Amino acid sequence: MLKALLFDLDGTLADTDPLHLLAWREVLKPFGLEVDPLFYRKRISGRLNPEIVKDLLGWEGERAEAIIARKEALFRTLAQGLRPTPGLPELLEKARAKGLLWAVVTNAPKENARHVLEALGLEPPLLVLAEEVGRGKPDPLPYRVALKRLGVGPEEALAFEDSPAGVRSAVGAGIPTYALLTGHPKEALLEAGAKGVLRDFREVSF
């Protein structure tokens, strides 16, 4: 019996990936890195910021934190007038009418997550932040924490993701997972373990 819906944030509740791409492109340009869509998908999407900076620049500590802060401030400046993924408001209303729980599970920094949710006019009953639970996607821990806090089993939930790393995280926690085609090819998402792919939430039925 379905009891809960679990959502990723970026690229799932809203198509924010183009804005993240622009922000990363701007802050990495001085270091000779050209962030195009393919580079973004392969090296950035779905990963935690400290991992991204260590991989791309070899930086850790205060130096890494400074460039991350600059990138995220730029993202928040760009992320004005966000619109939810088509079908999301109707899906959440249907979930409410059926008495389903819902939560957001994200690798995004806290300030960004709250900025995006506020811009979308959403107040999830539960927000699970990878930076607060100790490990980020693709590790299953963020989704396991969400299940525990909601008091539901993995078979009683559905997860919605948009990246292979996110899909692996949710599937690793035992949750049937659908992937949105906002940033990654169908083949990569299915290979990661997605049960199916969606263009948007208008294709969801339960």
Side-chain angles (χ1 to χ4, degrees):
M1 180 181 175
L2 182 62
K3 293 184 178 179
L5 303 179
L6 306 179
F7 299 90
D8 173 49
L9 182 71
D10 287 304
T12 301
L13 296 183
D15 187 11
T16 53
D17 280 352
L19 304 180
H20 283 291
L21 188 156
L22 288 174
W24 279 115
R25 176 182 290 167
E26 185 67 24
V27 300
L28 293 175
K29 188 188 304 181
F31 306 99
L33 293 171
E34 178 57 40
V35 181
D36 61 17
L38 180 61
F39 184 98
Y40 180 83
R41 284 198 303 271
K42 289 190 171 184
R43 306 288 296 275
I44 294 175
S45 179
R47 304 178 71 192
L48 290 169
N49 282 339
E51 295 173 357
I52 295 167
V53 174
K54 184 177 180 181
D55 176 36
L56 299 181
L57 300 175
W59 296 356
E60 295 182 90
E62 291 183 5
R63 198 178 186 191
E65 290 169 8
I67 196 168
I68 288 168
R70 193 156 72 247
K71 179 265 165 180
E72 297 305 353
L74 179 55
F75 167 77
R76 289 190 296 273
T77 299
L78 294 169
Q80 307 297 326
L82 289 177
R83 294 183 178 276
T85 299
L88 178 64
E90 294 80 4
L91 178 61
L92 291 176
E93 177 55 31
K94 185 177 179 182
R96 186 199 64 76
K98 288 179 173 286
L100 301 183
L101 302 168
W102 70 284
V104 173
V105 183
T106 180
N107 275 359
K110 183 175 184 179
E111 193 172 354
N112 274 22
R114 297 205 176 281
H115 175 88
V116 171
L117 290 170
E118 184 177 342
L120 295 174
L122 297 176
E123 294 184 22
L126 174 65
L127 173 62
V128 176
L129 300 163
E131 66 182 18
E132 293 184 350
V133 302
R135 294 197 298 274
K137 306 170 188 177
D139 193 285
L141 182 62
Y143 276 101
R144 288 178 177 154
V145 169
L147 292 172
K148 183 176 181 180
R149 291 180 182 173
L150 291 174
V152 301
E155 73 285 352
E156 297 173 317
L158 282 180
F160 298 95
E161 275 284 351
D162 74 301
S163 71
V167 170
R168 286 195 292 272
S169 175
V171 171
I175 306 167
T177 304
Y178 289 88
L180 280 85
L181 296 167
T182 49
H184 291 266
K186 174 181 177 180
E187 294 75 19
L189 297 165
L190 293 176
E191 185 179 343
K195 189 179 179 71
V197 295
L198 308 165
R199 285 172 295 178
D200 57 47
F201 290 113
R202 290 174 293 191
E203 297 182 2
V204 178
S205 60
F206 54 78

